[in-house]
Amino acid sequence: MFAALIGTGSYLPGHPVGNEDLAARGIDTNDEWIVTRTGIRSRHLAESGTTSSEMGLIAAQRALEMAGIAASELDLIIVATSTPDFIFPSTACLIQGKLGNKGAAAFDVQAVCAGFTYALGIAEKFIRSGGHKKALVIGAEVFSRILDWRDRGTCVLFGDGAGAVVLAASDKPGILASAMHADGSQNGILNVPGQICGGQITGDPFLRMDGQAVFKFAVRVLADVAQEVCQAAGLQPSEIDWLVPHQANIRIIEATGKKLGVDRSKVIVTVDRHGNTSAASVPLALDEAVRDGRIQRGHKVLVEGVGGGFTWGAALFEF
Ligand code: UT7
């Protein structure tokens, strides 16, 4: 029994916001710095009031349409997000309600930028166990809400959006291998160390990052986890058709591809137009490459992510 990907979808809010637009808004930055250090040229930022569940719903509807199944057929809904609409209920339950599905298991996964790879691996295991047959896996984020717009070292890096996939139990190959890992001792290098307590915010409610420490950690674990799933599937990294890495920084993406020996032409890149959309970045990039015809049925695709926690994960599937 495999978990096969039968549909993808995505959604980006509003219009692209270019690097010079950020500078024009009073942030002490410039296009040259952002492009050279990150490869980011623009990102989408949600209007105030737009939520992860609203964006995730549209991505989900698009994925269900491609899959050709009704929301009522789903028996599992997992949303990867670090920017949920509420503390509770989960964003997955909110999307379930909006889709009109009743009865599916629905919950959120909090693994930051590795969230989608975690959610995909969890859904795969639910399906392979025989307990569930049709799963919706969503990554949805409004990171613009947790950015300190006075901190130029972080606010220029992120964007908002959502992506989704539909998985179904199948006797034909789908996900061949998946992996997920964490190292909680690294919690201090990327976090939002705030809380709501007694109706007040305590601590710091903004994203904080040690960029260089994150950079080094990310390159190492992304290469390791890609090797791990290739080995589990009995493939060499050079045999995969497409690498869809977390879209945080073009230099991290290129360094990982080089370490793995995957040709640049096989790497899907959206960071230039989306920025880092955390858990949404992989399904957004995946959907773009499926819809523009680069990723085709039968292709072997490796998706991978890394984020705060620290967390990291990957999945290798035949589309
Ligand atoms: O999902 C995981 C999320 N995070 C990441 O993947 C981030 C990984 N890290 C990185 O991508 C890089 O570390 C950054 C792009 C965040 C930063 O690049 P860096 O080469 O590590 O730069 P830096 O932080 O060491 O800063 C270099 C200089 C500083 O100026 P001084 O002190 O040398 O005068 C910063 O103040 O660049 C300055 N700077 C900026 N200048 C213009 C920092 N942010 C900006 C900015 N515009 N937006």
Side-chain angles (χ1 to χ4, degrees):
M1 177 79 76
F2 288 98
L5 272 84
I6 59 168
T8 65
S10 62
Y11 175 76
L12 288 163
H15 301 287
V17 178
N19 294 339
E20 293 301 356
D21 297 326
L22 295 183
R25 290 179 188 191
I27 298 165
D28 182 14
T29 190
N30 57 77
D31 183 60
E32 199 264 330
W33 190 95
I34 301 174
V35 172
T36 315
R37 304 276 171 140
T38 71
I40 299 167
R41 293 180 186 277
S42 62
R43 73 288 288 143
H44 289 248
L45 301 175
E47 293 285 325
S48 69
T50 299
T51 62
S52 289
S53 74
E54 287 167 4
M55 296 192 298
L57 173 69
I58 299 169
Q61 287 167 330
R62 291 175 177 169
L64 286 165
E65 194 185 353
M66 186 190 287
I69 69 161
S72 57
E73 295 177 59
L74 297 167
D75 53 13
L76 176 64
I77 300 171
I78 309 179
V79 177
T81 186
S82 298
T83 46
D85 295 22
F86 303 127
I87 290 174
F88 71 79
S90 68
T91 309
C93 283
L94 297 175
I95 293 175
Q96 179 185 33
K98 289 174 188 178
L99 283 171
N101 171 286
K102 286 192 171 61
F107 58 89
D108 288 0
V109 166
Q110 220 283 36
V112 202
C113 304
F116 181 77
T117 57
Y118 265 58
L120 196 62
I122 293 165
E124 181 218 354
K125 285 159 183 57
F126 271 57
I127 288 175
R128 284 177 83 107
S129 76
H132 291 76
K133 301 273 180 258
K134 289 196 173 74
L136 175 63
V137 177
I138 302 169
E141 301 280 17
V142 274
F143 255 52
S144 57
R145 302 277 151 73
I146 53 169
L147 298 176
D148 179 352
W149 290 95
R150 295 159 305 178
D151 176 8
R152 66 179 183 166
T154 54
C155 72
V156 302
L157 305 175
F158 295 90
D160 301 328
V165 300
V166 178
L167 297 173
S170 170
D171 53 7
K172 297 197 186 68
I175 298 179
L176 305 170
S178 64
M180 48 193 113
H181 299 285
D183 178 356
S185 72
Q186 300 297 319
N187 72 78
I189 61 174
L190 177 56
N191 55 23
V192 180
Q195 310 168 320
I196 296 176
C197 180
Q200 305 290 323
I201 294 168
T202 60
D204 181 352
F206 294 119
L207 182 148
R208 302 297 173 199
M209 180 172 72
D210 175 344
Q212 288 178 7
V214 169
F215 195 105
K216 285 182 204 137
F217 196 93
V219 174
R220 178 169 62 80
V221 298
L222 285 173
D224 287 352
V225 79
Q227 296 276 11
E228 180 184 346
V229 290
C230 283
Q231 203 171 2
L235 291 166
Q236 294 297 323
S238 56
E239 292 179 88
I240 61 166
D241 295 295
W242 297 104
L243 175 64
V244 187
H246 173 45
Q247 307 287 318
N249 183 313
I250 193 67
R251 292 187 296 141
I252 295 177
I253 293 171
E254 284 172 351
T256 307
K258 205 169 159 194
K259 254 184 136 176
L260 289 170
V262 174
D263 192 83
R264 174 72 184 76
S265 63
K266 292 176 166 188
V267 183
I268 306 296
V269 174
T270 53
V271 69
D272 52 331
R273 288 159 291 123
H274 299 175
N276 180 348
T277 56
S278 190
S281 94
V282 168
L284 267 163
L286 178 64
D287 184 49
E288 179 177 289
V290 166
R291 286 179 190 264
D292 69 19
R294 278 176 290 172
I295 296 179
Q296 295 180 7
R297 289 282 163 204
H299 280 177
K300 292 189 178 60
V301 183
L302 198 162
V303 296
E304 58 174 349
V306 59
F310 245 72
T311 53
W312 62 102
L316 176 51
F317 62 86
E318 190 171 316
F319 185 56

